[in-house]
């Protein structure tokens, strides 16, 4: 998948789980993730508390072993491991591919 | 004042709370559980104050809106909502100066509670090294609370902190009133709070845009999907080699020391029951187990170093996806790794796992990780049956055998977790959300304290449970004595001999002899006692006490039997404390019964299969 093209046509619908390793992005917002069911709201709150807020610069620094899962990202200088399910809650815009 | 004033340390995970705690209390922690929950409660008296003051080390948390049992405890203690636990008089919020935003967010949340609070800005030395410059005085003014700069490795900042605590203890302000927090209160304000923090940081802090380069370079190696795994397995292999190879000189020294002590005592005491009791019951029993202290210390040394450097969370990151296929996750990796030292703290560490199903599976398989108490048993049998020779030039055959035993445990755990997961599907997922802390050089002080604590726990076990079991065993093995016209060794006539013969038919398909059966009984109290039990059983009635246990075993067991005995110890849920902690953590008699029965069944089957297969191959 060519994320750069995707980002240009739909800048608001690019999600963190669609980004490549090394991509620098900015968080634009959080969306629902049905996989988390009833605790989706709680997951969203914790993501925000950890700094995944609109405007926060974010860098994709690595991927796990199978299916590029989980992702390692750096937000505000702190590194986190997120699964694709969590990353798919985070909408981003590309700063640098 | 009747009750001492109470301080509590609160902060994010990895902010250096525990090293501050050690500094303030002179590393004298009283470790217990919070009432009604199994979260570990560390408390101690602050040293060097004019008033007696208690310090609580609360579990690390990111927020008062909690997602796991240990975060819940931190919140409930602060709010005074945990029954039986007095609300702390003063909160000491700890922030890692290298991770200001995340720490300040929690602090601002705590501030909104209107409780007396001071801020310890920790790891200031590391922050300066990274080019982070903080105008502490202005920051203190902006957030409205006193700030003390601390460096956990030296005592300068800690002395300042102690002085502030002392001033507070002399005239504490005691605000009244209860706080209530609900999830909806805060949801909108996360953004607002962060905006405030950004503004504070931009005014009072100068931060470089990047982490030190080597941090990122190291991460691109250890978190690489393939190279990272190579690094991880190399580290594990080195650990197991070290446990076996590096420890042996010290082991030999301790061994020789106890034999010498036994001989020395034997020359001073008259022949008879007292001499037998002291030399064979006490010295041989305790010495046989204490010999393994160096190996246990080496194992804990590696676990503590890996934890302190921040590497363990990288390993959790790498293993998350493969472990998820088994119904576990990266979060279960750390409890499982601790279980290599001891399943009890390992099972307790599962409380950081938010998903109840995953937590259950982790608890069920944790004892399959080879704990340090099994090490003495493995070490004894390996030394007796596996030749000490090099394999492929660099590895030692004994070390490889040990690795294979550890591997058998891990592989079985994977299989069982997978089987359990298949029974539960179609449920909602839980997030991983794991912070990967910056790499840090481990602090010798912290490391030594951790090792001292572990060594002390082991020595205390040796001095209490193991000594008591050795004495009971010696008694069972010595009485009643052989009749005058005895044709067989005295032990055949003793209680232990009778008991062993009684059990033996049950274990005959596994090839176990009655001596091996006897050793299984005290091993329920502590696995490593199997070693002293065998020593007692084989030494009683011998001409001289210095017949090495290893050669006695080599002479009386066949190789398939030795393998079968090892296989039994890989699986058997021995050690009552593990079963007790499973009962406490799952709070279910059914789950505990399942745990006990499945592991015993597995042990029996594995030993039987090993014996049959090995016999067929050897015979």
């Amino acid at each position: 998948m060519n994320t750069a093209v995707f980002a240009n046509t739909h800048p608001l619908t690019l999600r963190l789980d669609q980004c490549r390793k090394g991509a620098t992005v900015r968080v634009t917002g959080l969306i629902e993730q049905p996989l988390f069911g009833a605790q989706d709201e709680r997951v969203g709150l914790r993501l925000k508390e950890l700094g995944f807020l609109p405007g926060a610069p974010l860098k994709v620094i690595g991927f796990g072993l199978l299916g590029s899962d989980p992702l390692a990202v750096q937000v505000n200088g702190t590194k986190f491991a997120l699964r694709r399910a969590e990353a798919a809650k985070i909408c981003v815009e590309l700063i640098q591919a | 004042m009747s009750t001492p004033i109470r301080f509590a340390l609160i902060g994010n995970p990895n902010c250096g709370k525990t090293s501050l705690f050690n500094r303030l209390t002179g590393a004298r922690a009283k470790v217990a559980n919070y009432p009604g929950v199994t979260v570990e409660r560390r408390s101690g008296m602050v040293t060097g104050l004019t008033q007696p003051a208690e310090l609580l080390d609360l579990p690390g948390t990111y927020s008062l809106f909690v997602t796991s049992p240990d975060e819940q405890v931190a919140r409930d203690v602060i709010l005074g909502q945990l029954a039986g636990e007095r609300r702390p008089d003063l909160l000491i919020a700890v922030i890692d100066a290298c991770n200001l935003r995340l720490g300040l967010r929690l602090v601002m949340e705590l501030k909104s509670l209107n409780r007396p609070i001071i801020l310890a800005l920790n790891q200031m030395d590391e922050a300066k090294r990274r080019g982070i410059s903080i105008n502490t005085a202005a920051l203190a003014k902006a957030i409205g609370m006193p700030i003390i700069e601390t460096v956990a490795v030296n005592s300068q900042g800690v002395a300042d902190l102690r002085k502030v605590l002392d001033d507070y203890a002399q005239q504490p302000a005691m605000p009244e009133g209860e706080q209530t927090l609900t999830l909806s209160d805060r949801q909108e304000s996360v953004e607002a709070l962060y905006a405030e923090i950004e503004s504070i940081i931009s005014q009072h802090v100068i931060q470089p845009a990047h982490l030190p380069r080597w941090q990122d370079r190291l991460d691109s190696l250890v978190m690489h999907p393939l190279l990272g795994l190579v690094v991880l397995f190399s580290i594990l292999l080195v650990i197991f080699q070290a446990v076996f190879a590096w420890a042996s000189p010290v082991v030999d020294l301790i061994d020789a020391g106890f034999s010498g002590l036994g001989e020395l005592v034997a020359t001073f005491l008259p022949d008879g029951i007292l001499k037998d009791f002291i030399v064979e019951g006490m010295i041989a029993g305790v010495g046989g187990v204490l010999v393994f202290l160096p190996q246990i210390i080496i194992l804990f040394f590696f676990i503590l170093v890996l934890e302190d450097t921040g590497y363990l969370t990288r390993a959790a990151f790498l293993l998350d996806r493969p472990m998820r296929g088994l119904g576990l996750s990266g979060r279960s990796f750390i409890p499982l790794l601790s279980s290599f030292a001891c399943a009890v703290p390992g099972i307790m560490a599962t409380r950081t796992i938010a998903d109840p199903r995953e937590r259950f599976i982790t608890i069920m398989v944790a004892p399959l990780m080879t704990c340090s108490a099994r090490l003495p048993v493995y070490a004894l049998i390996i030394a007796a049956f596996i030749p000490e020779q090099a394999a492929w030039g660099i590895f030692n055959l004994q070390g490889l055998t040990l690795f294979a035993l550890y591997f058998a445990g891990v592989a079985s755990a994977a299989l069982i977790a997978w089987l359990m997961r298949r029974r539960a599907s179609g449920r909602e997922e839980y997030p991983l959300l794991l912070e990967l802390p910056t790499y840090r050089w481990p602090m010798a002080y912290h490391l030594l304290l951790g090792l001292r604590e572990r060594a002390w726990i082991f020595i205390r076990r040796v001095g209490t449970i193991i000594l008591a079991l050795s004495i009971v065993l010696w008694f069972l093995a010595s009485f009643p004595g052989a009749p005058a016209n005895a044709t067989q060794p005295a032990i055949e006539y003793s209680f232990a001999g009778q008991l062993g013969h009684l059990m033996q038919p049950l274990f005959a398909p596994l090839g176990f002899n009655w001596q091996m059966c006897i050793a299984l009984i005290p091993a329920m109290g502590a696995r490593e006692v199997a070693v002293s039990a065998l020593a007692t059983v084989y030494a009683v009635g011998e001409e001289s006490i210095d017949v090495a246990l290893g050669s006695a075993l080599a002479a009386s067991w066949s190789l398939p039997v030795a393998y079968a005995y090892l296989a039994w110890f890989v699986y058997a849920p021995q050690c009552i404390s593990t079963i007790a902690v499973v009962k406490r953590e799952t709070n279910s008699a059914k789950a505990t019964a399942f745990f006990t029965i499945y592991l015993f069944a597995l042990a029996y089957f594995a030993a039987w299969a090993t014996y049959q297969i090995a016999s067929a191959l050897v015979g």
Side-chain angles (χ1 to χ4, degrees):
Chain A
M1 181 183 359
N2 188 328
T3 47
V5 170
F6 194 22
N8 284 340
T9 49
H10 306 278
L12 284 174
T13 52
L14 179 66
R15 299 184 322 244
L16 182 59
D17 62 319
Q18 296 165 323
C19 296
R20 290 179 169 184
K21 183 173 173 178
T24 306
V25 298
R26 198 191 319 273
V27 177
T28 55
L30 297 183
I31 53 170
E32 276 181 36
Q33 169 59 272
L35 274 176
F36 290 131
Q39 33 157 5
D40 187 53
E41 193 186 332
R42 192 171 280 250
V43 176
L45 177 62
R46 179 48 63 96
L47 279 171
K48 285 196 216 166
E49 286 172 343
L50 295 180
F52 295 90
L53 283 170
L58 194 152
K59 193 174 177 206
V60 181
I61 55 178
F63 290 120
L65 180 62
L66 301 166
S68 301
D69 193 16
L71 296 80
V73 298
Q74 188 169 11
V75 59
N76 287 330
T78 310
K79 294 174 180 178
F80 291 98
L82 303 179
R83 288 196 187 139
R84 301 198 83 78
E86 289 120 76
K89 279 182 71 64
I90 302 170
C91 290
V92 295
E93 59 186 0
L94 224 48
I95 302 176
Q96 194 189 334
Chain B
M1 203 188 287
S2 52
T3 47
I5 193 161
R6 172 176 282 192
F7 302 122
L9 288 166
I10 174 89
N12 295 155
N14 311 308
C15 67
K17 254 180 329 97
T18 302
S19 34
L20 264 188
F21 175 88
N22 284 336
R23 285 286 175 184
L24 285 171
T25 59
R28 263 176 261 282
K30 219 173 80 193
V31 182
N33 273 353
Y34 285 98
V37 284
T38 51
V39 174
E40 193 176 76
R41 178 188 190 275
R42 294 171 65 87
S43 67
M45 300 304 286
V46 183
T47 56
L49 297 194
T50 50
Q51 308 271 340
E54 191 192 10
L55 183 65
L56 264 181
D57 186 10
L58 294 174
T61 182
Y62 290 107
S63 163
L64 294 176
F65 294 89
V66 297
T67 55
S68 70
D70 54 338
E71 286 187 348
Q72 176 88 40
V73 164
R75 186 188 82 159
D76 289 352
V77 170
I78 290 172
L79 297 180
Q81 288 173 347
L82 193 65
E85 188 69 57
R86 195 161 53 89
R87 192 167 68 173
D89 302 305
L90 174 73
L91 298 176
I92 308 167
V94 185
I95 292 189
D96 177 355
C98 306
N99 203 352
L100 266 180
R101 269 188 195 79
L102 216 50
L104 273 179
R105 207 205 63 78
L106 177 65
V107 167
M108 299 302 268
E109 208 170 86
L110 290 168
K111 194 190 153 199
S112 69
L113 299 175
N114 288 319
R115 305 289 323 273
I117 183 168
I118 60 171
L119 203 167
L121 205 51
N122 208 14
Q123 274 138 22
M124 278 304 287
D125 52 339
E126 178 62 25
K128 280 181 192 138
R129 217 171 305 141
R130 286 197 199 158
I132 301 172
S133 144
I134 302 169
N135 182 345
T136 311
L139 183 63
K141 211 170 159 203
I143 61 173
M145 63 180 76
I147 297 183
I148 297 98
E149 294 185 11
T150 53
V151 176
V153 281
N154 71 38
S155 45
Q156 180 50 47
V158 177
D160 296 344
L161 182 57
R162 196 174 264 128
K163 182 167 182 316
V164 172
L165 293 182
D166 201 30
D167 291 346
Y168 182 84
Q170 282 170 4
Q171 36 184 241
M174 297 274 194
E176 291 305 315
E178 292 299 311
Q179 295 86 26
T180 44
L181 283 162
T182 58
L183 200 58
S184 57
D185 279 345
R186 300 278 314 174
Q187 186 119 54
E188 304 85 342
S189 53
V190 180
E191 285 88 346
L193 196 57
Y194 256 114
E196 196 184 336
I197 290 167
E198 287 303 331
S199 131
I200 290 172
I201 288 181
S202 65
Q203 285 173 55
H204 308 297
V205 181
I206 301 164
Q207 277 182 310
H210 298 286
L211 282 175
R213 266 201 109 79
W214 67 268
Q215 293 258 357
D216 291 335
R217 288 215 182 115
L218 192 55
D219 264 342
S220 61
L221 171 68
V222 304
M223 288 165 66
H224 187 277
L226 289 176
L227 294 178
L229 278 188
V230 173
V231 171
L232 177 60
F233 283 107
S234 310
I235 290 175
L236 293 179
L237 194 60
V238 166
I239 294 177
F240 295 128
Q241 276 285 310
V243 164
F244 222 75
W246 301 357
S248 62
V250 192
V251 169
D252 293 346
L253 205 69
I254 297 178
D255 204 17
F258 272 94
S259 307
L261 183 66
E263 280 166 31
L264 190 73
V265 171
T267 56
F268 281 110
L269 289 174
D271 278 351
I273 198 84
L274 184 68
K275 177 173 154 182
D276 286 352
F277 171 70
I278 292 180
V279 175
E280 287 161 10
M282 288 173 66
I283 298 180
V286 167
V289 174
L290 205 59
V291 144
F292 299 99
L293 183 62
Q295 293 178 328
I296 288 164
I297 287 185
I298 290 178
L299 186 67
F300 271 110
F301 169 80
F302 279 103
I303 290 181
L304 286 172
V305 167
L306 292 182
E307 196 172 11
D308 280 5
T309 50
Y311 177 75
L312 275 191
T313 52
R314 269 72 179 183
F317 165 83
L318 277 178
L319 295 175
D320 180 63
R321 187 64 191 83
M323 290 180 78
R324 204 157 7 130
L326 304 170
L328 303 169
S329 81
R331 281 198 187 273
S332 13
F333 173 72
I334 295 169
L336 290 178
L337 190 74
S338 312
S339 301
F340 279 111
C342 175
V344 172
I347 289 171
M348 284 172 66
T350 59
R351 60 178 190 238
T352 55
I353 301 172
D355 181 347
R357 182 77 204 169
E358 181 193 330
R359 181 159 182 249
F360 178 81
I361 297 179
T362 310
I363 291 174
M364 288 295 135
V365 301
L368 292 176
M369 305 299 122
T370 302
C371 68
S372 51
R374 263 174 272 196
L375 205 54
V377 183
Y378 289 176
L380 172 73
I381 297 174
I382 289 176
F385 289 92
I386 311 292
E388 193 179 358
Q389 64 185 51
W392 303 308
I394 41 168
F395 298 115
N396 152 315
L397 198 58
Q398 296 187 337
L400 280 180
T401 309
L402 187 68
F403 188 75
L405 287 169
Y406 275 77
F407 183 78
V410 173
S412 313
L415 183 70
I416 286 155
W418 182 73
L419 289 172
M420 284 184 177
R421 190 194 78 113
R422 277 165 52 95
R423 296 187 51 226
S425 52
R427 41 190 204 93
E428 58 191 29
E429 279 201 34
Y430 281 76
L432 178 67
L433 279 182
L434 193 64
E435 185 188 346
L436 305 165
T438 50
Y439 291 105
R440 216 173 278 148
W441 198 246
M443 287 189 297
Y445 177 77
H446 198 57
L447 209 64
L448 285 175
L449 283 178
L451 285 181
R452 190 187 73 176
E453 200 176 303
R454 292 296 151 191
W456 184 237
I457 289 171
F458 179 73
I459 291 169
R460 214 166 44 201
R461 264 165 78 88
V462 170
T464 54
I465 300 175
I466 294 176
L467 180 62
L469 288 172
S470 298
I471 292 172
V472 169
L473 208 84
W474 173 84
F475 176 80
L476 289 177
S478 303
F479 296 97
N485 56 349
T487 50
Q488 286 169 307
I491 187 153
E492 297 264 349
Y493 302 95
S494 67
F495 292 123
Q498 292 168 26
L499 198 60
H501 282 297
L502 209 64
M503 285 169 70
Q504 205 265 338
L506 184 63
F507 289 93
L510 319 184
F512 293 5
N513 62 24
W514 61 267
Q515 289 97 331
M516 297 162 88
C517 295
I518 297 172
L520 294 182
I521 299 171
M524 285 302 294
R527 270 179 263 243
E528 55 270 52
V529 184
V531 171
S532 26
L534 288 170
T536 310
V537 170
Y538 278 100
V540 171
E542 288 287 337
E543 290 293 304
S544 83
I545 55 148
D546 59 341
V547 174
L549 178 57
S551 36
L553 296 186
S556 67
W557 298 3
S558 68
L559 193 59
V561 170
Y563 282 147
Y565 210 48
L566 287 174
W568 171 273
F569 272 91
V570 169
Y571 298 102
Q574 268 166 354
C575 154
I576 305 233
S577 17
T578 308
I579 299 174
V581 80
V582 168
K583 169 79 177 69
R584 215 173 49 189
E585 294 286 323
T586 59
N587 203 13
S588 149
K590 209 175 125 204
T592 313
F594 169 74
F595 170 85
T596 314
I597 293 167
Y598 110 81
L599 284 172
F600 269 127
L602 206 61
Y604 193 89
F605 173 77
W608 174 79
T610 307
Y611 177 64
Q612 299 298 339
I613 294 169
S615 299
L617 291 177
V618 173

